[in-house]
Amino acid sequence: PLKYVLTTTSANLGNMVSMALASLFLPFLPLTAGQILLNNFLSDIPAVGIADYRVDPELVRRPQRWDMRFIGRFMVEFGLLSSLFDFLTFAVLLWGLQASPDLFRTGWFVESLLTELAIALVVRTRRPFHRSRPGNVLVLTTLVLAVLTPAIPYLPFARSLGFVPVPGALLAILLAFTALYVLAAEAAKHWFYRASASSVTRSVNMV
């Protein structure tokens, strides 16, 4: 359960912060209601695979307790990291491409969904994500959706949801942002758990 909580709370906080701040300066809705629902539905599919997750051995050597301060810090730090990449996407769409409202929404939808898929693979483990094998369901659903996401604007129903085709240059930028986000999340994760361990050590020494 903790893996799911950490993944969803950090991603949802990031989306809420990005949506709230974007709404302050955009003359249109950053995403439509239908696009938000589709994003949430698709990003939750891989979460089913967390139940099939292979827990790292070091996490089952001793009982793990819920720590709400830990969850709150994780949510804020990784949520703000997600928002940072959203704002980079906004900058490219608004000032780099002078995107129309439909292209802005489509671009952010693609970036938001790709980064949500990526973060589930990163934060599911305290190890570097490539050194901890995920469950088969999580891998399969993530790969399918990662391929499907850039194709959604070209599907027959796309126009009815307000999506438009994404230029190749923009798609390349969004994929690059996703790769950078994975690297940044890995670095943040390393720092976060190292800082958490140091904090626990200081508390023990004080006692």
Side-chain angles (χ1 to χ4, degrees), residues 18-174:
S18 300
M19 179 72 75
L21 293 180
S23 298
L24 295 177
F25 64 84
L26 289 178
F28 54 84
L29 289 175
L31 289 175
T32 67
Q35 291 166 348
I36 293 172
L37 291 173
L38 180 62
N39 185 301
N40 288 340
F41 171 72
L42 293 177
S43 63
D44 280 343
I45 291 176
V48 176
I50 294 178
D52 185 44
Y53 172 66
R54 295 175 175 85
V55 180
D56 296 331
E58 61 269 21
L59 294 180
V60 294
R61 288 175 187 158
R62 59 182 180 179
Q64 301 291 315
R65 296 183 177 181
W66 285 79
D67 184 342
M68 297 307 298
R69 291 182 62 186
F70 171 89
I71 294 173
R73 285 180 49 238
F74 191 99
M75 176 181 67
V76 170
E77 293 182 23
F78 284 85
L80 293 179
L81 178 64
S82 174
S83 291
L84 172 62
F85 279 83
D86 285 340
F87 297 142
L88 290 175
T89 301
F90 296 167
V92 170
L93 291 169
L94 292 175
W95 298 305
L97 298 176
Q98 288 80 48
S100 65
D102 284 343
L103 181 58
F104 179 95
R105 295 181 185 122
T106 304
W108 186 29
F109 176 90
V110 171
E111 181 268 343
S112 176
L113 185 51
L114 286 176
T115 52
E116 284 193 57
L117 295 173
I119 197 63
L121 293 175
V122 173
V123 303
R124 65 184 171 79
T125 177
R126 298 189 179 197
R127 300 177 178 182
F129 77 94
H130 59 279
R131 294 184 181 175
S132 176
R133 183 181 174 185
N136 294 331
V137 175
L138 179 60
V139 170
L140 179 60
T141 53
T142 299
L143 288 177
V144 169
L145 286 170
V147 173
L148 174 63
T149 298
I152 287 176
Y154 301 92
L155 297 178
F157 65 83
R159 190 63 196 177
S160 63
L161 287 175
F163 295 122
V164 295
V166 177
L170 174 58
L171 181 57
I173 292 172
L174 298 179

Side-chain angles (χ1 to χ4, degrees), residues 178-198:
T178 302
L180 289 174
Y181 178 64
V182 170
L183 296 177
E186 274 292 329
K189 181 177 68 175
H190 175 75
W191 177 86
F192 179 86
Y193 284 115
R194 185 173 180 177
S196 296
S198 297

